Amino acid sequence: MQTIQKKGLTVKDLVTIGIFSALFLVFALVGGIFFAPNPVLTFYMPVGSALLCGPVYLLMLAKVQKRWAATILGAIMCIIWFVTGMHWAMALGYLIMGIVADLVAGAGRYRSKKINSLSYILLSLGGTASYLVFFADPDGWAKTMLGNGTEQSYIDTMRNTGTTWILVIMLAGTILAAAVSAFIGCKMMKKQFEKAGITK
Amino acid sequence: MKLHLDPRTKLFLILLCVLSAMFAPNLYFQFALVTLIGLLAAFSGKWQYALRGMIAYALICVFTVWCMGVLTGTWRTMLIAFLGLVHKVYACGMLAGLVISTTKVGEFLSAMAHLHIPKKLTIPIAVMLRYLPTIREDWHYIKDAMRLRDASPTPWGFLKAPAMTINCIYVPLLTAASKTADELSIASVTRGIENPKPRTCLVKIQMRSADFLTMVFFAAFLAAEIVWKAVGI
């Protein structure tokens, strides 16, 4: 099957994407759940998710090396987040960043490790989308949270705690965590998977 | 008698549930939504699932009411922000879990084919849903293997030997995943997944009266929420 290089995605590619999406989801959840139960750290959930998924994403790209792989991954994540009732912005963020990540990785023809790492960083930023919406419109977010009109003190405290520096830390942290994760992923690929003949 | 819904109905229910959770005007409606899902689970023969889900949610609700009444200041804000997220996710997560555990992969694929959703999206999703339990199984084996090598699969072990722990977790999981991908694709090609002809399925996929009835229930719930909101504000 590998000798006839088909142009589009083969069934093998689709199955690979499916399996790696499952791993991606599990690692994203594990990374996120570590932060989610602690209310103070909820804002750093994208950081935790970004920290764990790098190797999975890089190995998937290395195995498929075709257009649409990252897009499909992003689309699946979008559907999963939407179905589980996450904030719509997070789902949309993954979908959009999936497409962006795909285009970026495509610029390196899915082979350059540096460009693949960059595309992973971009994909991770998709997870921050719902918090971006929160910072863009805290009142609206707070309102939709418990449905009925929020009290003044609630909005005041939220303005005080949810200041811009949390936003900066969240974005910078996500980028940093994704970069570390991608770096570990690259090293792991070189040390383990290329030797084992898993990647092409 | 067990309720057996069409996968398309289930998808529509999920959409309605997401909207209902989004529009829910207060906690009572959230709880009613979870109860509705619990009833659906019970009718589908998942008594334990329904009971567990509803009790856990009742506890969360009590905790929320306590937070709203007793706490003040920063902690209140943080906890309410967090609980808001939990309330949003809970109902949908419960329904999604029910749908995944009651739908067979074959049914899912053929319902998707009926809806004309491209195979490029449905195959990865079907594979993913099937693979999730396998990851859990693999994880138990990996934990055992790690203990054999004195690498402990806990946060403490990670702090003691980070590089070793990372390798011990990722390498087997990813290797197993790519092996499985190869084997599964061979298996599915053998079973004719590349066949360009329309897909057939042994289980007859069709909408029955129960499907329509369930959909009407959930849609009515959503409508009630919207009406309540329009009247209340």
Side-chain angles (χ1 to χ4, degrees), chain A residues 11 36 52 83 144-145 151 157, chain B residues 76-77 81-82 88 170 194:
Chain A
V11 169
L52 293 181
V83 162
T144 43
M145 293 267 278
E151 316 147 42
T157 14
Chain B
R76 178 188 159 91
T77 314
F82 170 66
K88 274 215 146 30
Y170 277 98
E194 281 179 320

Side-chain angles (χ1 to χ4, degrees), chain B residues 129-172:
Chain B
L129 295 181
R130 277 281 289 139
Y131 194 65
L132 281 176
T134 318
I135 294 178
R136 196 201 225 166
E137 214 173 281
D138 281 351
W139 170 238
H140 288 298
Y141 294 133
I142 290 169
K143 261 205 308 210
D144 287 348
M146 280 171 79
R147 290 220 181 82
L148 268 182
R149 283 193 58 191
D150 274 343
S152 119
T154 52
W156 171 241
F158 175 77
L159 288 179
K160 244 168 46 184
M164 168 102 161
T165 317
I166 290 174
N167 272 336
C168 282
I169 292 173
Y170 277 98
V171 173

